[in-house]
């Protein structure tokens, strides 16, 4: 993992703060300035924009969409597939009902950057005693969990089934893995999946697996453009 010296922000171009290379390619953390002079941090994978700190509405909504369904015990144990820049985890930790959060992130550099506080808005989220971070592939980690071991599973490992950064992540949205998700959930447990595009196929797969699925649509304004994002939420009966 390469850390760059941090020069003064330049509004004309992004500055790379850190970059890491793995068998999956490159992952980088960049910083830029808006026209108003505000700092924005960006996560870039293989040269493709993944997310930033300018607009985090739907990352936070992913947590709230699950927490809207009360757990049977009154408290929450949650599994998050995909740390990103940490905003979903931060939103979870704001809820006093949260007792435990397992965060499963494939890229060790991403975990290190958030843990080191390179993203100021989420500095400290991985230091919360309720959080355990796992550097692993959620496709391999979750099948090893006990049955009925978590109240909610939040999946934001890629851009959704129809706009993938890593083609191997197709498996996350397929029926065999969704069956694993269902098995790991406690009765009444919730799965919420983030998608950059509407996915009728994902909704139908969740409906078949869980006997129901809610599609949550949000229009987000990003630098003068309206973008459509989707969450797919299902509950184990």
């Amino acid at each position: 993992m390469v850390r760059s010296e941090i020069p003064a922000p330049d509004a004309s171009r992004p500055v790379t703060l850190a970059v890491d290379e793995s068998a999956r390619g490159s992952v980088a953390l960049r910083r830029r300035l808006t026209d108003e002079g505000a700092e924005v941090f960006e996560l870039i994978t293989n040269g493709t924009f993944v997310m930033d700190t300018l607009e985090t509405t739907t990352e936070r909504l992913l947590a709230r969409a699950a927490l809207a369904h009360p757990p049977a015990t009154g408290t929450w144990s949650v599994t998050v597939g995909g740390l990103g820049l940490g905003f979903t985890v931060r939103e979870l930790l704001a809820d006093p009902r949260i007792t435990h959060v397992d965060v499963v992130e494939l890229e060790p550099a991403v975990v290190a950057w958030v843990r080191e506080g390179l993203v100021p808005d989420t500095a400290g989220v991985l230091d919360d005693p309720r959080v355990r971070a796992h550097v692993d592939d959620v496709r391999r980690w979750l099948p090893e969990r006990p049955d009925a071991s978590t109240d909610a599973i939040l999946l934001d490992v890629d851009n959704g089934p129809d706009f993938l950064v890593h083609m191997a992540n197709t498996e996350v949205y397929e029926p065999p893995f969704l069956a694993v998700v269902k098995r790991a959930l406690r009765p009444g447990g919730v799965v919420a999946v983030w998608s950059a595009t509407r996915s009728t196929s994902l909704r139908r797969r969740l409906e078949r697996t869980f006997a129901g699925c809610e599609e949550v649509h949000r229009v987000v304004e990003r630098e003068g453009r309206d973008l459509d994002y989707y969450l797919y939420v299902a509950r184990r009966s």
Side-chain angles (χ1 to χ4, degrees):
M1 180 170 60
V2 177
R3 292 282 298 275
S4 302
E5 292 188 9
I6 304 177
D10 180 351
S12 65
R13 63 182 180 86
V15 174
T16 299
L17 303 181
V19 63
D20 191 50
E21 298 284 344
S22 71
R24 294 169 296 278
S26 67
V27 58
L29 181 68
R30 301 194 313 196
R31 182 184 62 190
R32 65 181 177 85
L33 293 181
T34 66
D35 292 340
E36 293 76 26
E39 284 189 318
V40 177
F41 295 84
E42 302 175 332
L43 187 62
I44 309 295
T45 299
N46 290 335
T48 300
F49 172 87
V50 177
M51 62 181 62
D52 65 15
T53 60
L54 181 65
E55 172 49 65
T56 62
T57 302
T58 55
E59 287 93 334
R60 291 179 283 118
L61 180 62
L62 185 66
R64 294 200 304 273
L67 296 176
H69 300 270
T73 61
T75 61
W76 284 94
S77 174
V78 182
T79 298
V80 180
L83 171 61
L85 296 177
F87 286 91
T88 297
V89 176
R90 191 186 74 173
E91 191 72 20
L92 287 171
L93 295 176
D95 193 309
R97 297 173 299 170
I98 294 291
T99 58
H100 183 81
V101 179
D102 282 304
V103 185
V104 187
E105 170 56 52
L106 184 59
E107 298 294 345
V110 172
V111 174
W113 298 337
V114 173
R115 192 181 296 281
E116 293 170 14
L118 294 187
V119 184
D121 286 342
T122 57
V125 294
L126 296 183
D127 297 326
D128 190 292
R130 293 170 289 175
V131 177
R132 175 178 286 185
H134 308 269
V135 178
D136 208 336
D137 189 331
V138 72
R139 298 174 301 155
R140 308 292 170 249
W141 186 88
L142 193 61
E144 297 177 356
R145 298 305 98 195
D147 292 359
S149 57
T150 189
D151 296 299
I153 297 174
L154 313 182
L155 297 174
D156 187 6
V157 299
D158 211 311
N159 284 328
D162 305 314
F163 188 45
L164 292 169
V165 175
H166 293 296
M167 291 307 297
N169 285 331
T170 298
E171 184 180 334
V172 172
Y173 310 99
E174 296 292 337
F177 186 75
L178 297 179
V180 169
V181 169
K182 181 178 180 180
R183 177 189 59 77
L185 287 171
R186 294 176 179 137
V190 180
V191 57
V193 186
W194 190 94
S195 182
T197 59
R198 170 173 275 142
S199 180
T200 302
S201 61
L202 175 59
R203 186 184 68 207
R204 288 174 177 168
R205 290 169 193 153
L206 285 165
E207 287 172 344
R208 287 194 293 267
T209 303
F210 291 91
C213 176
E214 176 188 5
E215 180 184 85
V216 180
H217 172 220
R218 287 292 182 272
V219 179
V220 172
E221 183 180 347
R222 294 182 59 91
E223 299 179 313
R225 294 188 302 156
D226 286 341
L227 301 176
D228 297 284
Y229 294 124
Y230 296 84
L231 305 180
Y232 292 92
V233 184
R235 193 172 191 185
R236 180 176 178 180
S237 60

